[in-house]
Amino acid sequence: MNMNDGSGDLLPRCAWARGGDALYTAYHDREWGTQSFQDRHLFEMLILEGFQAGLSWRTILNKRDAFREAFDGFDPEKVARYGPDKTDELMGNQGIVRNRLKILSAVGNAQAFLSIQKEYGSFSNYLWGWVDNTPVLPGPGPVPTQTPLSDAISRDLMRRGMRFVGSVIIYSFLQAVGVVNDHEPGCFRHPGKAQTG
Ligand SMILES: [Zn+2]
């Protein structure tokens, strides 16, 4: 097997992260599958995963800095208060994904996010409560695109008024924030291997 992914090092990685794209590789190496307990980061990932629907994750990563700037650093308290003037302004921002439904859902999702924080003390408490604070490790066989866990969380978030939180989107979110660890068996970040950071 050729471990060289073109990024200049010989680390074995998940197949999807072997393209040699520096941003993509860094995302795989430092973020994807790492347990996150910070509400600001969890909110960012939840919103970005929703914006990804129908697009590539690479597109979203390339726009991530613009998204952060446009959405006040993904401060849910600020996003929850966005009115029509702000959403119109976002529709004119070429740095982000200009989709009115997604932009409006980000505002509604911020409001639901704040309600969850109030109820559970933090969104992190709410999220990790679904797995008793223990990440779900990779199973044998192909990586799924949704599971009974993502189905249940998706249903609950929809009940709380969130949109663009279908089970496939939520599964992708769970992978991103480390509630589920889906690094491939050969990957240097697979939980069976020593973690480097
Ligand atoms: Zn990996």
Side-chain angles (χ1 to χ4, degrees):
M1 183 165 39
N2 179 10
M3 299 295 196
N4 191 340
D5 66 356
S7 67
D9 64 55
L10 297 173
L11 286 171
R13 293 186 172 86
C14 292
W16 62 265
R18 283 181 212 145
D21 177 318
L23 202 57
Y24 218 50
T25 306
Y27 175 72
H28 167 272
D29 290 4
R30 298 190 199 134
E31 193 168 357
W32 192 77
T34 303
Q35 293 175 56
S36 173
F37 304 98
Q38 295 174 358
D39 275 19
R40 185 75 71 98
H41 178 252
L42 294 171
F43 181 65
E44 174 174 351
M45 298 316 292
L46 188 65
I47 296 305
L48 290 179
E49 293 284 356
F51 267 100
Q52 191 216 340
L55 303 167
S56 75
W57 185 245
R58 198 179 298 268
T59 297
I60 299 298
L61 279 187
N62 283 323
K63 292 176 176 289
R64 191 174 187 176
D65 287 342
F67 264 111
R68 280 181 176 153
E69 197 180 327
F71 280 89
D72 289 296
F74 289 105
D75 179 342
E77 301 220 7
K78 287 185 179 162
V79 178
R81 292 198 298 266
Y82 287 177
D85 285 355
K86 177 67 180 185
T87 50
D88 283 349
E89 178 197 317
L90 290 168
M91 280 298 291
N93 185 333
Q94 297 190 20
I96 67 167
V97 174
R98 292 181 293 170
N99 175 310
R100 193 172 290 279
L101 275 181
K102 289 179 178 177
I103 289 170
L104 292 175
S105 80
V107 178
N109 289 1
Q111 293 161 358
F113 192 93
L114 295 182
S115 299
I116 291 172
Q117 282 182 325
K118 206 169 168 187
E119 186 177 340
Y120 289 84
S122 69
F123 187 84
S124 174
N125 287 344
Y126 162 80
L127 181 67
W128 285 95
W130 285 93
V131 292
D132 290 330
N133 300 306
T134 307
V136 179
L137 298 180
V143 174
T145 57
Q146 64 187 93
T147 61
L149 174 66
S150 65
D151 293 345
I153 296 175
S154 168
R155 266 198 306 275
D156 191 59
L157 292 176
M158 286 185 194
R159 183 180 66 76
R160 293 170 183 276
M162 287 201 185
R163 288 182 291 172
F164 286 97
V165 289
S167 187
V168 172
I169 289 174
I170 290 303
Y171 192 72
S172 188
F173 168 70
L174 296 178
Q175 289 175 312
V177 303
V179 171
V180 169
N181 187 319
D182 271 335
H183 283 285
E184 294 169 7
C187 177
F188 83 97
R189 296 214 53 211
H190 186 270
K193 308 222 173 194
Q195 297 284 304
T196 56

